[in-house]
Amino acid sequence: MRRISATVATFLGLLVIILALDIDLAVYSTDLTLVQGLKGWAWAIKLKTSASPSSDIHGSPVACDRSHPSYDLCTIDGPALVDPATTTISSLDRASPPQAPMKTRPYTRKRDLRALSRVKELTIASSPPPNATCGGVTQAAPALVFSAGGYTGNFFHEFDDGLVPLFITVESIFPDHNVTLAVVDCGDRWLRKYADVLSHLSHRPIINLDRQKETLCFPSITVGLIKHGPMTINPKLLPHPKSLSDFASFLHGVYCGGGRAAAPPPSPEARGRPRLVLVSRPRSAGRAFLNQAELEALAESIGFEVRRFAPTLDMRLAESYRLVQGSHAMVGVHGAAMTHAVFLRPGSVLLQVVPVGTEWLSEAYFGRPAGELGLEYVEYRIEANESSLAEKYGVDSAVLKNPRAVVGGEWEKMSLYLKTQNVRLDMGRFRASLERSYVKAKAFMEIARD
């Protein structure tokens, strides 16, 4: 009985992580009936507190759809007012009977309390406050209000929770891009970094509601972003089908439209060799290559031109895009910087090194998306002796042999594998993956050249 209880507890914990991270269980099981049953059971037992599936105010243009596991989408279908001072969004329909206001945090991880602690709560009211005015400013286009808070600062989350859902939402509701993007929790760094992307999603100036002093009026307002899952776009859920590959094409238009961005030229010694971008992480962050110099030497000896890539928070996105998009392959340990794979051209190679305990994350966040992007995906799963954790716990410890049991469904315990684990590659074993990647990259280079 105790063994059964422990198994159930572990399974429940795993479901908590899967649901909290928006992992699609269908990726890991071919039995869709089982998948749907597990999801339904998980929601039914309320693994996390959730609001009612949907709410609207009878006879009012205000409505909130709360039926989605990762986001809420609220709308005011008619003239509306935004008061930045009180973070209140109000319908200007004075004919509707006043009702209790609704609350929402416009971020795509609504069940992640840690992320939501960094997201402003907005109030949505069915009628305006007394003597409400538009501050002399009435916008011509509807507004899309969302948060740049949460896990912003992490490059993966800036795409997974922000830019990809923003692309989905604009293409779903405002395909003509005639929308005003109004952002809360909006730092200057985020605005600077993604200014080019935002300007291609909207024809109108971006409004930083954190800096806005006066009230604003719009013909209608949508609050929140639509998310389909981790780093994915489901074409069947859009009125005009789009995919993750279309998102990559959109970025290409942003950074290469009109010939504005040329790939960095090959080095004089390259002599027609395929370029490999090697994603470098600091040891203090975890999941770093402990023998990176050996890796670079091996890649060069196989035939690659190696470019080391150590992205920083302040690095201009156009600079990163030019390097990655002009390359033929990218290699790195599972981590946020691997999100740059969305810049790779279809047919190029993504070689992901998977540390112990991160197999399912690596597949969900980068392995499966690589296929959607049309990349040649190569995965290298390290063995216990290649993990720095072996030095502390031993190669035969449960830490290395049974990570799932060690984590026990508690996300906080994943820091052992994500923050304290580094990688010392067995170059004899890794050579096969690198050579396989080279053959694919060389073939792609020849095709791209033609």
Side-chain angles (χ1 to χ4, degrees), residues 321-385:
Y321 188 90
R322 284 194 296 269
L323 172 62
V324 177
Q325 197 269 343
S327 300
H328 308 97
M330 187 170 87
V331 61
V333 182
H334 168 77
M338 295 295 279
T339 310
H340 289 89
V342 76
F343 299 164
L344 288 167
R345 289 168 288 175
S348 52
V349 183
L350 177 64
L351 171 52
Q352 180 176 207
V353 175
V354 180
V356 173
T358 69
E359 293 81 5
W360 58 283
L361 283 174
S362 299
E363 170 62 20
Y365 287 176
F366 304 115
R368 178 188 45 72
E372 295 183 17
L373 291 167
L375 305 179
E376 294 285 345
Y377 179 62
V378 179
E379 181 179 274
Y380 178 83
R381 296 191 177 190
I382 73 169
E383 293 185 344
N385 65 310

Side-chain angles (χ1 to χ4, degrees), residues 82-414:
V82 177
D83 183 355
T86 61
T87 60
T88 299
I89 301 171
S90 308
S91 169
L92 288 174
D93 183 0
R94 298 181 185 276
S96 299
Q99 300 288 338
M102 293 181 285
K103 305 284 188 178
T104 188
R105 296 181 190 265
Y107 189 68
T108 56
R109 287 180 177 263
K110 74 176 189 181
R111 298 175 184 276
D112 188 330
L113 301 183
R114 182 182 174 193
L116 291 188
S117 68
R118 304 166 185 171
V119 176
K120 279 191 176 72
E121 183 177 67
L122 306 181
T123 300
I124 301 178
S126 61
S127 58
N131 304 317
T133 66
C134 295
V137 180
T138 299
Q139 302 292 318
L144 175 59
V145 180
F146 63 96
S147 172
Y151 292 133
T152 292
N154 177 292
F155 192 69
F156 171 77
H157 289 289
E158 288 179 345
F159 274 73
D160 181 55
D161 302 333
L163 296 183
V164 174
L166 180 58
F167 177 81
I168 292 171
T169 308
V170 169
E171 292 296 330
S172 297
I173 304 175
F174 311 102
D176 59 357
H177 294 199
N178 185 31
V179 59
T180 299
L181 304 180
V183 194
V184 295
D185 311 306
C186 182
D188 292 339
R189 182 201 64 82
W190 183 85
L191 269 181
R192 286 194 304 270
K193 187 162 190 171
Y194 298 113
D196 291 337
V197 177
L198 298 174
S199 68
H200 280 70
L201 285 169
S202 170
H203 305 317
R204 301 183 178 277
I206 311 304
I207 296 177
N208 182 348
L209 290 177
D210 297 339
R211 299 285 181 86
Q212 182 67 30
K213 301 300 181 184
E214 293 185 310
T215 56
L216 297 172
C217 288
F218 299 89
S220 65
I221 294 180
T222 300
V223 183
L225 299 178
I226 300 169
K227 186 175 183 178
H228 291 167
M231 283 300 292
T232 191
I233 298 175
N234 186 342
K236 296 179 181 178
L237 299 180
L238 284 97
H240 305 287
K242 299 283 184 180
S243 66
L244 194 63
S245 180
D246 290 305
F247 175 72
S249 296
F250 162 76
L251 293 176
H252 184 76
V254 172
Y255 292 107
C256 293
R260 291 186 299 126
S267 57
E269 65 274 13
R271 300 190 189 92
R273 292 183 293 166
R275 175 182 293 156
L276 173 69
V277 173
L278 192 158
V279 179
S280 178
R281 292 174 62 92
R283 295 189 182 191
S284 58
R287 287 165 287 152
F289 289 119
L290 295 178
N291 51 350
Q292 184 168 288
E294 291 179 58
L295 169 57
E296 291 179 10
L298 176 61
E300 292 278 357
S301 70
I302 287 173
F304 279 112
E305 177 207 359
V306 179
R307 290 288 184 95
R308 187 182 298 185
F309 178 47
T312 63
L313 276 175
D314 296 323
M315 181 177 287
R316 293 179 62 246
L317 204 58
E319 179 184 349
S320 303
Y321 188 90
R322 284 194 296 269
L323 172 62
V324 177
Q325 197 269 343
S327 300
H328 308 97
M330 187 170 87
V331 61
V333 182
H334 168 77
M338 295 295 279
T339 310
H340 289 89
V342 76
F343 299 164
L344 288 167
R345 289 168 288 175
S348 52
V349 183
L350 177 64
L351 171 52
Q352 180 176 207
V353 175
V354 180
V356 173
T358 69
E359 293 81 5
W360 58 283
L361 283 174
S362 299
E363 170 62 20
Y365 287 176
F366 304 115
R368 178 188 45 72
E372 295 183 17
L373 291 167
L375 305 179
E376 294 285 345
Y377 179 62
V378 179
E379 181 179 274
Y380 178 83
R381 296 191 177 190
I382 73 169
E383 293 185 344
N385 65 310
E386 295 173 276
S387 171
S388 64
L389 297 175
E391 300 172 8
K392 182 175 181 179
Y393 298 98
V395 293
D396 295 320
S397 68
V399 166
L400 291 163
K401 295 294 186 181
N402 196 354
R404 181 175 294 183
V406 171
V407 173
E410 298 179 41
W411 176 249
E412 293 77 10
K413 292 184 178 179
M414 277 296 294

